[in-house]
Amino acid sequence: MIKTLIILAALAGFDLNADLQQLDETLNKAAEYAAQHERRIQAVEHDLATDKPLTDEFRYEVYGQIYDLAYAFQYDRALEALNNQEQVALRMGRKDLLTETRLRRALLCCTAGRYAECMEIAERIDTTQFTSDKQLFLYYEYQQRFCRDFREYNHPGVGGVLDERAGFYRGRLIEYLPESNFLRQTMLLTELIENGNHIGAGEVGGMMLSRYPEDSHEYAIAAYYMGVLCREDGDLEGEEHWYIKSAIADIRSATKDNASLYCVALNIMDRDIARAFRYTQAALDDALFYNSKLRPFQIAQNLPAIEKAYTGKIKKESDRRTMLMLLISLLVIVMFFILLRMISYHRRLQDAIAALSEANAAKEEFLALFLSMSSGYLDKLRKHLGREQMEEELKAFYAAFDNAFLQLYPAFVEDFNALLEPEARIELKKGEKLNTELRIFALIRLGVDQSSHIASLLRYSVNTIYNYRAQTKAAALSGKDDFEERVKTIGIRHN
């Protein structure tokens, strides 16, 4: 039945103009929906505002309800609820509840793009002490989310070790969670799309859409993945329709950590730039309200294209208006309002660019942290792998680092060679992206400048690292004293 409905909908087509009109009407009520959700949270918080004695069990449950309501609404609110839950769990001496709370915090930090924080939390969790399936499923969910998002953040569109790990944990959730569980349904839908089983994905997505209310966060997620499915099929009309339906559900459920509204903006940018700009502004406002580090970075990446298109549209409109208004005395007033609009737009653009700069600086920290984490993982593998297998793992490790680093600094090799005497400049072999010498100074560029630490990460002796550094500095174009300080400025833009 579900499959039949999907086929009939596809044959009938979608009225995208009506969809966009519905989205506009819903967006106009966004503040009202957010206020309603805020009142729901306050109603739960009111349960704690009493002079009556409350049990720790009751407090723990109420903080959990606040977290569930704030998870996709406001990061700081959700984090505060988890902090309070942790204090209650400590007071109760319940290690199981403490572990669950910390796993939720790691997942929350990952959702907000705070990868350094979530890695620090997760590293302190001892998985050998798990006492329930609930803890295990939370751990699987965190690992799947982190591997997927961290890879997309650092190297979008490319698979590799992190994608394989995300797939592994996704498989565990699909295998062990009940069929009626929403997380399992989402993981299954993602798995089917990635494996190219679009018929199966359509059936699962259709089932989810029929099961959850259209104003729910669950419906928003299901509709978003239906949009992804249509994109994979090359159905641009279906893609836009489902992104719009997802965005409407996000607004109605007061989901501030959302992706669909910005996807709609990108889809309509070529034909309706004013609307796309309005949706982008709303998506950026939501991301800043939620206090996400990830969403502003994603939005800021495409702001130059939106700015160019929007500025072009404004110019055409201004030219036509000037020709029409030459005969009347209202031209000055019209241009005044246009100027105010442009000033408001450029202020938002500057805020977004600032957010992007912060995100780029954070990526260096994330890359260094991930490198340390991967190095530790290799140390653990050494005990279980043969020499050839270990060499393959090392090659994959170096390749992953090279790709991630050059994503940050694509001109690093050229800029580095520019600091050396011509005869000392490095020529890479065919197929190489970085060699040992370049990796050493890539780590120095990331702030890892102790030879012992570099040696540990790259699997060389401290003597070898010291010799590489000394030989390279001796060939510096402008002297060796401040050579490494100049390396640390590679890629920095000076305004």
Side-chain angles (χ1 to χ4, degrees), residues 5 30 68 168 172 175 178 197 219 221 231 241 261 263 290-291 297 300 312 315 343 361 395 421:
L5 290 173
D68 290 338
F168 170 81
R172 299 286 75 74
E175 182 176 358
N197 186 350
Y219 186 93
I221 293 173
R231 183 187 66 204
H241 168 78
L261 185 60
C263 290
Y290 182 77
N291 196 17
F297 167 75
K315 185 177 184 303
I343 290 172
K395 287 180 182 177
E421 296 286 353

Side-chain angles (χ1 to χ4, degrees), residues 291-312:
N291 196 17
S292 169
K293 283 191 174 182
L294 177 61
R295 298 294 183 204
F297 167 75
Q298 293 172 329
I299 294 171
Q301 284 182 309
N302 289 291
L303 272 178
I306 295 174
E307 176 193 14
K308 182 179 179 181
Y310 186 72
T311 302

Side-chain angles (χ1 to χ4, degrees), residues 438-480:
L438 287 168
R439 289 189 191 108
I440 291 170
F441 285 94
L443 286 170
I444 290 172
R445 175 62 188 85
L446 293 175
V448 182
D449 53 13
Q450 292 187 5
S451 292
S452 59
H453 195 180
I454 296 172
S456 173
L457 291 174
L458 296 183
R459 299 306 193 278
Y460 287 99
S461 69
V462 175
N463 258 355
T464 300
I465 300 300
Y466 178 82
N467 289 337
Y468 269 118
R469 294 175 76 167
Q471 290 171 7
T472 305
K473 286 194 285 188
L477 192 63
S478 302
K480 64 181 182 178

Side-chain angles (χ1 to χ4, degrees), residues 139-401:
Y139 179 73
Y140 287 164
E141 183 181 4
Y142 157 71
Q143 286 288 358
Q144 186 276 149
R145 185 68 179 266
F146 172 79
C147 292
R148 183 197 69 184
D149 288 3
F150 189 73
R151 189 273 300 161
E152 183 66 23
Y153 183 62
N154 284 278
H155 213 168
V158 179
V161 175
L162 285 176
D163 259 1
E164 292 177 5
R165 288 179 62 190
F168 170 81
Y169 289 111
R170 185 170 59 239
R172 299 286 75 74
L173 291 167
I174 293 170
E175 182 176 358
Y176 295 115
L177 284 173
E179 289 187 8
S180 60
N181 183 276
F182 176 74
L183 177 60
R184 180 191 184 275
Q185 294 164 5
T186 305
M187 294 296 98
L188 179 59
L189 179 54
T190 306
E191 181 93 352
L192 292 170
I193 292 174
E194 291 195 2
N195 290 339
N197 186 350
H198 293 179
I199 293 177
E203 291 177 350
V204 173
M207 176 273 294
M208 294 173 70
L209 291 169
S210 67
R211 179 170 293 183
Y212 300 102
E214 291 191 12
D215 60 353
S216 67
H217 185 44
E218 291 82 2
Y219 186 93
I221 293 173
Y224 171 81
Y225 279 109
M226 289 296 283
V228 173
L229 175 60
C230 289
R231 183 187 66 204
E232 294 294 315
D233 273 338
D235 179 6
L236 301 182
E237 188 176 280
E239 176 189 2
E240 185 174 323
H241 168 78
W242 288 116
Y243 282 156
I244 291 171
K245 298 293 284 185
S246 176
I248 291 171
D250 276 332
I251 296 168
R252 289 176 175 173
S253 61
T255 297
K256 297 298 184 179
D257 180 36
N258 57 64
S260 298
L261 185 60
Y262 183 57
C263 290
V264 176
L266 293 180
N267 276 22
I268 67 173
M269 186 172 67
D270 291 339
R271 69 176 193 272
D272 194 343
I273 186 59
R275 203 178 225 145
F277 178 67
R278 188 166 70 252
Y279 292 167
T280 301
Q281 284 184 315
L284 184 58
D285 288 342
D286 281 350
L288 294 174
F289 176 86
Y290 182 77
N291 196 17
S292 169
K293 283 191 174 182
L294 177 61
R295 298 294 183 204
F297 167 75
Q298 293 172 329
I299 294 171
Q301 284 182 309
N302 289 291
L303 272 178
I306 295 174
E307 176 193 14
K308 182 179 179 181
Y310 186 72
T311 302
K313 180 179 184 298
I314 291 297
K315 185 177 184 303
K316 290 179 181 178
E317 290 179 350
S318 177
D319 290 344
R320 287 195 295 267
R321 189 179 294 113
T322 302
M323 293 176 64
L324 293 172
M325 295 297 178
L326 284 174
L327 303 176
I328 59 177
S329 62
L330 296 177
L331 175 62
V332 175
I333 298 175
V334 172
M335 293 305 295
F336 175 73
F337 281 106
I338 292 176
L339 178 61
L340 286 180
R341 192 175 182 184
M342 291 297 293
I343 290 172
S344 174
Y345 167 72
H346 282 291
R347 284 176 179 169
R348 289 180 177 274
L349 178 62
Q350 290 302 316
D351 289 341
I353 291 172
L356 175 60
S357 299
E358 179 185 347
N360 280 338
K363 286 179 72 174
E364 296 179 8
E365 179 186 351
F366 297 152
L367 180 55
L369 283 170
F370 178 64
L371 183 60
S372 297
M373 185 178 73
S374 299
S375 180
Y377 174 68
L378 288 175
D379 287 336
K380 293 177 181 178
L381 284 179
R382 187 184 295 275
K383 302 175 183 178
H384 307 287
L385 299 181
R387 182 175 179 180
E388 291 183 1
Q389 291 174 308
M390 193 62 194
E391 288 179 355
E392 289 300 315
E393 289 291 336
L394 283 171
K395 287 180 182 177
F397 169 67
Y398 292 144
F401 172 68

Side-chain angles (χ1 to χ4, degrees), residues 400-411:
F401 172 68
D402 294 351
N403 287 332
F405 181 79
L406 291 176
Q407 187 75 14
L408 277 176
Y409 303 107

